[in-house]
Amino acid sequence: MDLECAQRLRSACEAIRHQLSKAIVGQHEVIEQLLIAMLARGHCLLEGVPGLAKTLMIRSLAQTMDLSFHRIQFTPDLMPADITGTDIIQESPSTGHRELVFERGPVFAQLVLADEINRTPPKTQAALLEAMQEHEVTVGGKTYALTEPFFVLATQNPIEQEGTYPLPEAQRDRFLFQIAVDYPTRQQESDIIERTTSAGTTTLSPVVSGADMLQFQQIVRRVPLPENVKDFVLDLVRALRPGSDRPLAWTEKWIEWGPGPRAGQQLVLAAKARALLEGRYHVTLEDIQHLALPVLRHRIVPSFSAESENQRPDALIRRALQELPKPKLPLL
C-alpha cells in the first residue's frame, strides 16, 4: 500500500471536517459516514426531519471537494428526462439543417443532491438507477459517461407519508449507507441559532480535487482484510437472511427479506475507508460493528410480526451483533 497516499487521505479528510465545521454545527457522525461513503465510491440516503441541515451539509461538502454540484428537487410531476436530459432539435449555424442535440440534465454533475427523493413516482426514481450503478446515462440509444468521481446523496423525510413514494428495494440497495440524521443537542441548537441569525458570512475553501478523490478510492481498496473479519461479515449478513444456512433463532419470525450479497461487499469497503480515517492500515472487527447499522438498516424488510412488536431494523442488527460469536483469531 502507498502509505504516503494513505496519510494524505487522512489529512485531506481532516481538512474537509475543519471546513465543514464553519457551516455545520455538530453532526460529526453524519459527516464521517458521508466521507466514508465517498471514499468507498458509494451513494448515501440521508433520512431526517426538515431543518437538520441535510441540504446545506451536502452543498458544503461539494464546495470543500471542488466538485461540480447539482441539486434536483424531486416532485410528483418530475419526469425522467428532467433528470437525465433529452434530445432537442436545433438548427446548425454552419449548415442551416436541423439536428438532434443532447441537452444534458442535472445528473451530469460529480455530486448530485436528490432532495426529497421519495416525493417522485418510481418511474422517475428509476432514472437514477443506471447513473448510480453504471455511472453512465443512456438516452435515445446513446450512452453518455458521467464525470468521475460521481456521487448521489439523496434525502428523504421519514415523518410524511402523504404524497410520497417509498423507494423500491432495488433502489435502496444501491445506496451504500442510509444515514439517520438526528436532532442537535441543546448546546448545538444554541450555536445554530447564534450563527444563523447574525450578520456574519461563511466562505468554504476547496481542499480536495476530484482527481485526489479518485486516487483515495483506489488506495481504500488496497487495505488488507483479515480472513476472520471477513468471516464475521459473512456470518452477520447471512444471520439476518431468512432461509440461509446459519440464521439466528428469531430471523425467520422477524425478518421477511434480509440483506443481499451487495451488503457484505459494501460493508467491507466502508470498513476499509474507516480504517484509513482512523490511522490504521487494516480492517478490524470494530470497523464492522461501527458501520453495520448504516449499511444494513435499509437492506432489511421486517416481517409483520416484527412491526407489530416494534422490532425495527436497527434493533435487529444490534441484537445480531451481540449474539454472533466474535472472531477468536488475532486480527493481524
Side-chain angles (χ1 to χ4, degrees):
M1 182 191 297
D2 187 342
L3 297 184
E4 182 182 349
C5 182
Q7 292 168 356
R8 196 158 55 85
L9 178 152
R10 191 180 182 195
S11 299
C13 289
E14 287 298 325
I16 291 171
R17 287 192 182 103
H18 175 71
Q19 289 293 320
L20 289 178
S21 66
K22 299 177 182 179
I24 306 296
V25 177
Q27 302 294 359
H28 303 299
E29 188 172 356
V30 174
I31 292 171
E32 179 194 48
Q33 291 176 10
L34 286 172
L35 290 174
I36 289 172
M38 298 179 81
L39 291 171
R41 200 172 181 256
H43 311 288
C44 286
L45 178 63
L46 287 81
E47 187 172 82
V49 299
L52 297 182
K54 299 185 295 297
T55 301
L56 175 62
M57 200 180 312
I58 295 170
R59 186 185 297 275
S60 301
L61 191 61
Q63 293 174 354
T64 64
M65 290 188 176
D66 195 21
L67 302 177
S68 58
F69 172 80
H70 282 159
R71 173 183 176 180
I72 307 173
Q73 184 64 50
F74 280 74
T75 57
D77 60 347
L78 195 71
M79 299 299 290
D82 297 327
I83 297 174
T84 60
T86 187
D87 289 324
I88 61 174
I89 298 177
Q90 284 187 350
E91 185 174 304
S92 172
S94 57
T95 64
H97 296 297
R98 294 183 178 182
E99 56 186 10
L100 284 176
V101 177
F102 179 62
E103 184 74 18
R104 298 185 174 219
V107 76
F108 285 87
Q110 292 173 297
L111 198 157
V112 176
L113 167 58
D115 218 354
E116 295 189 287
I117 193 172
N118 57 336
R119 286 201 170 276
T120 201
K123 181 179 181 180
T124 305
Q125 293 172 355
L128 280 176
L129 280 176
E130 182 186 14
M132 291 174 63
Q133 189 64 26
E134 308 297 339
H135 291 211
E136 61 186 26
V137 168
T138 301
V139 177
K142 295 183 180 179
T143 299
Y144 304 89
L146 299 170
T147 304
E148 298 288 353
F150 173 72
F151 308 103
V152 172
L153 304 182
T155 69
Q156 66 179 12
N157 179 357
I159 61 174
E160 286 188 315
Q161 300 302 324
E162 274 190 47
T164 63
Y165 304 84
L167 286 173
E169 301 304 318
Q171 180 81 330
R172 287 164 54 190
D173 193 47
R174 281 168 171 76
F175 288 100
L176 170 61
F177 285 156
Q178 178 174 320
I179 301 176
V181 185
D182 207 352
Y183 288 106
T185 64
R186 181 183 178 88
Q187 182 58 52
Q188 289 172 347
E189 195 160 0
S190 173
D191 293 341
I192 291 171
I193 293 173
E194 181 68 27
R195 186 179 297 186
T196 57
T197 58
S198 63
T201 58
T202 301
T203 302
L204 303 183
S205 303
V207 295
V208 176
S209 67
D212 291 331
M213 185 56 64
L214 290 174
Q215 189 176 16
F216 294 159
Q217 289 173 348
Q218 290 299 317
I219 203 70
V220 163
R221 290 179 172 268
R222 295 169 61 186
V223 174
L225 175 69
E227 191 67 25
N228 57 322
V229 176
K230 183 179 74 172
D231 288 339
F232 182 78
V233 171
L234 289 169
D235 290 343
L236 175 61
V237 172
R238 298 180 70 82
L240 294 169
R241 189 183 301 160
S244 69
D245 51 351
R246 298 179 63 182
L248 295 169
W250 42 266
T251 301
E252 301 287 343
K253 176 183 177 183
W254 283 343
I255 297 179
E256 185 173 353
W257 294 101
R262 189 181 280 126
Q265 297 169 353
Q266 300 203 333
L267 182 54
V268 167
L269 277 175
K272 288 184 174 187
R274 183 178 186 270
L276 290 179
L277 289 181
E278 294 290 318
R280 288 181 278 101
Y281 306 115
H282 63 278
V283 179
T284 67
L285 180 63
E286 198 269 337
D287 294 320
I288 303 299
Q289 293 172 322
H290 187 82
L291 297 172
L293 286 178
V295 171
L296 297 176
R297 61 164 57 107
H298 57 297
R299 294 183 163 95
I300 293 176
V301 179
S303 66
F304 177 79
S305 298
E307 292 182 350
S308 64
E309 298 182 37
N310 201 30
Q311 294 293 329
R312 306 297 182 192
D314 282 21
L316 300 177
I317 297 166
R318 289 192 181 99
R319 182 170 177 179
L321 289 171
Q322 291 175 350
E323 294 184 7
L324 284 174
K326 304 300 184 289
K328 297 179 181 179
L329 297 175
L331 299 180
L332 291 176

